[in-house]
Amino acid sequence: MSAFGNVTGAVQGRHPASLLLVGLPLFAALLGVVLALAFGKPTADKPHATAPVAASSGPVVSAGALRVTLPEGWTPARTGPKIPGFEGAHAAFARTYDSDVAIALLPARSPSLLPPGLDVATNPASARPRVQRAGTLRAYDYVRPEKGQRVLDLVVVPTTLGVATIACSSAVVAPDECAQALRGLHLTGGTFLPLSAESAFLAGLPDAMRTLGAQRLRLRTRLTRAGLVAGAARTAYRLAGTYGTAHRALRPLAAPHSDARSTVILLRRLRSRYFTLAAAIRARDRGAFKAAARSIATNEQRLAARVEAWQRAMAR
């Protein structure tokens, strides 16, 4: 049975997908193209992929796509301190004259760019960082108490591949010691991002959009080929889930009343509209289907515009 075969005043002889495509003409393709251009597989050594200062000729350690030429007096180490948020990360380790150092690319999980275990969202004063600079590269520098009367100095830099995190554990923090590593920072296949209130959102956006784009393309193709009510409705529900996944990934990274927040709201709204579309398919309600399809078209157009704007922000 056609997915819309029993809708009152059904479209004669039409595959259910054609009705969907009437409601969503070019905006789906537009969003797909923008996602591919903005957040497709990154190429190696894009502009700004290296901190634009002369690094020392010391030893180099690697943490995934992150390379660090160690400052003078730093030496590579096989093991290092156990830092909250580093669990499961591909970390590199080093030693200074008084600090144990862990270096990793971590997922963006909070607006502060810190791992949740070190993020002090309930105490804004203690969470306020210093800004460190190395050439045009800028980073947040946080100091956190650690167990055993030690102190953590954490330097974090947003990138399109996550948050480059340098954590120095020592008995006493030496001002600016941990930040020395910024001069030797290099990325393979990614770029550093501007430092701002939306840095965490920008760091998390490429991965969320790549996942959304891939799942969405597959499910939209399946939806256009659906011939039964149950299959079409199930696919629409799964499309809602893809937007829900992107929303959940990015919501913790968006500050209230920001442009990032408006993008997160668009993802949540599209999740809701796809749920409505699925219900309309299951109920064979042509009017509800058309209304949901129009709303999806409008909001996908808005999302495409926002993605383009974020791409420009990343290039600054």
Side-chain angles (χ1 to χ4, degrees):
M1 177 185 295
S2 169
F4 298 96
N6 292 340
V7 175
T8 303
V11 180
Q12 295 295 324
R14 253 183 195 176
H15 189 280
S18 63
L19 181 57
L20 178 65
L21 295 176
V22 167
L24 304 173
L26 296 177
F27 302 131
L30 171 63
L31 180 59
V33 169
V34 171
L35 289 172
L37 290 176
F39 302 113
K41 185 177 180 181
T43 55
D45 298 324
K46 290 182 181 179
H48 312 300
T50 306
V53 292
S56 67
S57 57
V60 177
V61 297
S62 300
L66 186 64
R67 307 284 186 271
V68 184
T69 302
L70 297 180
E72 184 178 356
W74 292 38
T75 57
R78 302 183 71 175
T79 61
K82 296 185 182 301
I83 309 296
F86 276 65
E87 300 86 358
H90 185 175
F93 303 103
R95 284 278 307 163
T96 74
Y97 76 96
D98 67 348
S99 297
D100 298 311
V101 184
I103 301 166
L105 269 173
L106 303 178
R109 291 287 185 259
S110 68
S112 69
L113 299 175
L114 291 174
L118 297 169
D119 186 38
V120 191
T122 57
N123 189 347
S126 67
R128 189 174 298 123
R130 298 171 60 201
V131 175
Q132 297 282 3
R133 292 175 173 83
T136 60
L137 187 65
R138 298 169 70 223
Y140 286 139
D141 189 345
Y142 296 89
V143 175
R144 291 284 182 272
E146 195 183 9
K147 294 179 180 179
Q149 297 184 335
R150 292 179 69 84
V151 179
L152 273 178
D153 187 4
L154 296 119
V155 177
V156 290
V157 187
T159 83
T160 55
L161 302 178
V163 181
T165 305
I166 306 163
C168 299
S169 173
S170 60
V172 179
V173 171
D176 304 325
E177 182 188 39
C178 206
Q180 291 177 20
L182 291 174
R183 293 184 171 273
L185 235 56
H186 177 82
L187 277 176
T188 300
T191 61
F192 293 107
L193 294 171
L195 197 62
S196 72
E198 292 175 331
S199 293
F201 179 82
L202 290 175
L205 189 64
D207 187 58
M209 290 296 100
R210 276 193 293 268
T211 301
L212 172 63
Q215 293 179 345
R216 185 184 169 284
L217 176 63
R218 176 174 55 83
L219 291 171
R220 283 296 297 269
T221 301
R222 182 179 298 177
L223 186 60
T224 62
R225 296 173 180 172
L228 297 175
V229 168
R234 186 163 51 248
T235 301
Y237 278 124
R238 293 186 66 184
L239 274 161
T242 65
Y243 284 94
T245 298
H247 172 258
R248 288 190 298 275
L250 295 174
R251 181 180 58 187
L253 309 181
H257 313 299
S258 65
D259 287 341
R261 197 69 174 177
S262 66
T263 302
V264 169
I265 289 171
L266 276 174
L267 291 167
R268 183 182 64 193
R269 187 176 300 152
L270 279 161
R271 173 182 177 270
S272 174
R273 298 302 183 269
Y274 270 109
F275 275 133
T276 302
L277 188 76
I281 293 172
R282 192 172 293 278
R284 300 179 176 88
D285 186 334
R286 183 182 181 185
F289 177 88
K290 283 188 172 182
R294 283 193 298 268
S295 181
I296 287 171
T298 298
N299 285 289
E300 285 195 339
Q301 186 182 36
R302 291 171 180 165
L303 182 59
R306 291 306 309 148
V307 168
E308 288 184 307
W310 289 123
Q311 184 186 23
R312 291 192 295 271
M314 289 182 180
R316 287 204 296 267

